[in-house]
Amino acid sequence: MGTALLYHEDMTAARLLWDDPQCAIETPERLTAALERLRRRGLERRCLRLAAREASEAELGLVHSPEYVALVRGTEALDVEALRELSAQYDAVYFHPSTYHCARLAAGAALQLVDAVLTGAAHNGLALVRPPGHHSQRAAANGFCVFNNVALAAKHAKQSYGLHRILVVDWDIHHGQGTQYIFEDDPSVLYFSWHRYEYRHFWPFLRESDADAVGRGRGLGFTVNLPWNQVGMGNADYLAAFLHVLLPLAFEFDPELVLVSAGFDSAIGDPEGQMQATPECFAHLTQLLLALAGGRVCAVLEGGYHLESLAESVCMTVQALLGDPAPPLPGTLVPCRSALESIQSVRAAQAPHWASLQHQAMAPAPSPGASSLEGRPLPLLPREPAYKVAALSCRPSPPICTAVVLTTPEATLCLPPGVVRQEEAAPQEEAEAWARPHGALAQGEALTVLGKVLCLVDRILDGQVGSGITAIPAPALAATLDVSIRRGLFHGAQRLLCVAVGQLDRPPDLADDGRTLWLNFRDEQAAALSVFHVSVPLPGATGGFLSCVLGLVLPLAYGFQPDLVLVVLGPAHGLQDPQAALLVTLLRGPAGGRVLALVEEEPKPQLAGILARVLHGEAPPSLGPFSAASPEFTQALGHLRGQLEVHWKMLQVAGEAGDTVLS
Ligand code: X5A
Ligand code: ZN
């Protein structure tokens, strides 16, 4: 088990044999650069290496017409002049005598990757292939693509494994119109694509790339297009697209498999995309997708033409597939106006088809002066200097072990390898000093646990341990949390996010100075008591839980950029195990994986084990059938977001506040 990496050297054979500026960027070096970097980073040897095989003609027939396959087969025997003539019949395509072999290997690699993941030989994986696939259609090559590798993989998963719900995420910067055409009337394949569009002034200049193309017939609502109408989209824009468009629909869809058309021309430096997202962004996107489909994510390379940016982004994707924590996103995260307009338009176009977008009446956002919250400036990181592609340094991989503090024997928890027991503790006198204000911690087991927790907080902040879980006797939970927050701040955390679920009070004498952000889910009215103190009602339905997590918790968490996240499951937290697992999984993103979970050791001692596994990079289980949030809940949440979005820009879902009301 682990991450599969598919490749075959023969795929470097095809290359452009004549002068054609449009096609010149699709080179063999794209593959060698990516593979080289994976080797240099020690990532290749952590993967399960599989050699690609050729797809059979019968397999190609899952998507392509026999005549088209025969035509491509025929190119093996053509001379350069004939190749050039045939290529000219398609838009942005070149053929080489090796193209047929390469394209069959590319398709075969995608099929084999699906086989590896669906047979359980691997958890997830990446196929490094060329030619790419997502522009290819039933009987046409297009945009460097010959066979549609990802569409073939989806058809294969349906046909050979009987899957009913497959999500295709196309993060390449071009619209995969080929994939869209192949599945536009098929409700078993949800196709999401974002793409440079510029109001149809960018290749492939199609009307059907816009947000109002939503599929047809039974497939209505299963095509999701997010057109970018400006260049320069960055990490905040991509993240907002995932949190506010893709992920709500994806969780509602509940896929059995996720296929990624993983093009990296959407990354900074790419001559085609002209976007600004940094390589780390792809680690976050991958990590977010791993929360779906039990982590069965198959990424297949599409575009990506800036070799340095491509190589680095591929490494980030593989690291995330391997379960490593994602490096924090550089810079402040504020989506741009144009991105928000695009997000708003696709949400409006999809709202009739998805329960998770309904009743999202957007309360007019208060103008800064009208906000009930003080206009306190946010302690955000200074803007970082412009990203220098050439100056990327070799990053050592961080220590990623997860430590647990338990009073019960871990045998009952089936902890995976790599999860260690935290034995080291702060000296007794020190623990006593920190415990002093709290009677509940004065002695015995609670004090022993506290000594270990103090040490664990330090070790996470120092990077010696990736993350941790502590099971605490119920009477000591609130006090241990209070001390953990103080210890984190004392030990150098600049910003500490606390997500408290259940009846837990914010420590009363905690300064509201922007160093802590306190988010509490409890049986109460939604309320923003300050910019850094937010209370949300406990959602009953899975839909309500998801809109809280995707629409509120993660935008706040990513906007806050904490050094440490404390997740506390307290009295009457009401979360089912899969919900708790999902919350903890997703909170790894904003803090470089530095999460400390505090749970009550009773009544569910096995919860600590479940959380240990997800903190260690295992995929959370599915939430089960989707149930829509009540309109009242959605409205309360929307109101809260309206109050907070003036300060927390990642909450925004519309370009022009309040000018659209979805019903
Ligand atoms: C796979 C891919 C791009 C074609 C661009 C043509 N194709 N101008 O990125
Ligand atoms: Zn592309």
Side-chain angles (χ1 to χ4, degrees), residues 21 87 113 159 244 250 256 351 433 461 477 481 509 593 606 620 645:
S87 303
L113 175 54
Q159 197 197 43
H244 299 308
E256 300 156 310
L461 284 169
L477 184 71
L481 168 60
D509 49 347
Q606 75 279 14
E645 70 181 14

Side-chain angles (χ1 to χ4, degrees), residues 22 92 132-135 143-145 172 174 203 265 272 302-305:
Q22 184 169 214
H134 70 153
H135 299 302
F144 317 154
C145 301
D172 186 281
H174 301 94
W203 190 91
D265 41 15
E272 279 286 309
E302 301 277 4
Y305 308 100

Side-chain angles (χ1 to χ4, degrees), residues 538-554:
L538 270 167
T542 57
F545 172 76
L546 285 165
S547 13
C548 278
V549 174
L550 302 173
L552 187 78
V553 178
L554 288 181

Side-chain angles (χ1 to χ4, degrees), residues 5 53 206 274 383 405 407 611 617 635:
L5 181 64
R53 61 163 175 98
L206 300 171
Q274 305 279 328
R383 264 220 179 271
V405 175
T407 47
L611 299 185
Q635 248 158 42

Side-chain angles (χ1 to χ4, degrees), residues 73-104:
R73 190 196 319 121
T75 63
E76 286 188 301
L78 297 182
D79 61 25
V80 176
E81 228 7 81
L83 287 168
R84 188 172 178 164
E85 222 166 274
L86 179 68
S87 303
Q89 306 199 0
Y90 298 103
D91 186 3
V93 169
Y94 68 87
F95 287 102
H96 179 274
S98 72
T99 291
Y100 182 58
H101 177 51
C102 292
R104 278 180 64 179

